[in-house]
Amino acid sequence: MEEIASNKISGGWQKRYQHQSEVLGCEMVFSVYLPPQAEQGAVPVLYWLSGLTCNDQNFVTKAGAQRYAAEHGVAIVAPDTSPRGDDVADDEAWDFAQGAGFYLTATQQPWAKHYNMYDYIVTELPALINAMPAIDSSRCGIFGHSMGGHGALTIALKNPDNYQSVSAFSPICAPMQCPWGEKALANYLGDDRESWSDYDACELIAKTEQQLPLLVDQGSADDFLVEQLKPELLEAACKDRGHPLTLRMQPGYDHSYYFISSFIGDHIKHHADALKQL
């Protein structure tokens, strides 16, 4: 792991690293914000998963999260959204392949060789992060936006022992029932729709035994709300199961980082409050 950038912000340090990923079979880059409290001892850590076409820098430069992370004393890790490189299979579409890993483990060729973002986020990346003296690996949360909101919800629901808090901005709530999800799941996983259910938050809600409270913010003016995101399906799944969900419809907000930056402070507080209780 090599540090390739370090900038002081909000009393802490915004750092960027690169490493060779064994899971993805390519070089990867990720960012870590260390709050000023990390200089005195280990701090809780949050993983942020970004959406389609993004990399680690979108959140770092647009969300305004560092001031809130410094206020609450939490680190934030922002990985890339997919494997990258000339040797990594790609597609001409903007919503599939590089930049669109969907936080799953692909089983179909040519994608299976590199597109193992689920394993990267759950296993390989935390092993690197937890080796940092500034990180308290026993206190960990996960959140994300759009495709990354889908990733945060599904990863937390499948690994309740790994994460003590979870939230999402405008997540793809039911990928088995929307064009973005159907395209990605069919290509990465094949035609067996039963295998798709492992990466669908609504399906996982019906199966989970441990009920981790969910916080979801969704803009009412989001162009993707009706066709792609479908928060009403998540709400119905949680109601049927009795799973705790706070779904906040925010009037007038769209799908952009203007929306995220408006409510990122609430989300970081949501996580910090949960993690400080441990």
Side-chain angles (χ1 to χ4, degrees):
M1 190 171 76
E2 176 187 359
E3 183 179 299
I4 57 175
S6 182
N7 300 92
K8 186 121 184 184
I9 178 172
S10 297
W13 291 93
Q14 184 65 62
K15 295 180 177 289
R16 201 176 191 212
Y17 298 89
Q18 66 183 15
H19 73 110
Q20 184 66 32
S21 168
E22 297 299 323
V23 167
L24 303 177
C26 65
E27 187 173 83
M28 291 293 285
V29 175
F30 63 89
S31 293
V32 181
Y33 178 68
L34 296 175
Q37 294 88 338
E39 296 181 6
Q40 280 74 52
V43 297
V45 60
L46 307 181
Y47 287 82
W48 170 269
L49 306 184
S50 290
L52 291 165
T53 75
C54 292
N55 59 27
D56 63 298
Q57 289 295 282
N58 297 78
F59 176 79
V60 167
T61 60
K62 295 181 179 180
Q66 292 90 344
R67 59 176 292 196
Y68 300 105
E71 177 185 343
H72 292 287
V74 296
I76 303 180
V77 178
D80 204 344
T81 55
S82 79
R84 306 272 185 177
D86 294 339
D87 296 332
V88 175
D90 201 4
D91 189 90
E92 294 182 356
W94 67 271
D95 57 356
F96 181 68
Q98 290 195 35
F102 265 82
Y103 305 103
L104 50 71
T105 296
T107 59
Q108 303 300 302
Q109 297 300 337
W111 318 109
K113 182 178 180 181
H114 296 285
Y115 286 79
N116 302 306
M117 286 299 294
Y118 175 87
D119 299 321
Y120 180 71
I121 298 299
V122 173
T123 304
E124 186 177 34
L125 182 58
L128 296 174
I129 299 301
N130 294 345
M132 295 180 173
I135 300 300
D136 179 357
S137 60
S138 69
R139 295 185 290 166
C140 181
I142 190 167
F143 60 155
H145 170 235
S146 193
M147 177 186 71
H150 140 78
L153 293 177
T154 56
I155 286 172
L157 289 168
K158 293 175 71 170
N159 300 275
D161 293 334
N162 293 16
Y163 308 95
Q164 292 81 48
S165 59
V166 59
S167 71
F169 289 87
S170 25
I172 303 172
C173 293
M176 294 179 69
Q177 301 182 59
C178 75
W180 279 343
E182 290 178 331
K183 179 178 183 177
L185 296 173
N187 279 282
Y188 289 136
L189 302 177
D191 296 332
D192 179 12
R193 292 183 66 92
E194 182 60 30
S195 68
W196 299 9
S197 65
D198 283 341
Y199 301 101
D200 186 301
C202 292
E203 296 291 324
L204 291 171
I205 287 289
K207 303 174 185 177
T208 184
E209 295 298 327
Q210 294 178 252
Q211 296 190 334
L212 194 61
L214 310 180
L215 170 63
V216 174
D217 270 319
Q218 172 63 60
S220 68
D222 191 320
D223 289 341
F224 305 113
L225 175 60
V226 175
E227 184 179 24
Q228 304 283 10
L229 305 178
K230 302 181 183 293
E232 72 279 0
L233 298 182
L234 179 65
E235 187 174 39
C238 288
K239 183 178 180 180
D240 289 345
R241 185 67 175 176
H243 194 110
L245 167 68
T246 300
L247 173 60
R248 307 193 306 185
M249 296 298 298
Q250 303 291 2
Y253 285 91
D254 58 20
H255 199 70
S256 71
Y257 268 85
Y258 295 116
F259 169 50
I260 295 170
S261 65
S262 298
F263 299 100
I264 192 67
D266 291 354
H267 283 245
I268 291 175
K269 183 179 187 302
H270 163 80
H271 290 276
D273 288 347
L275 299 177
K276 286 175 181 176
Q277 295 174 11
L278 301 175

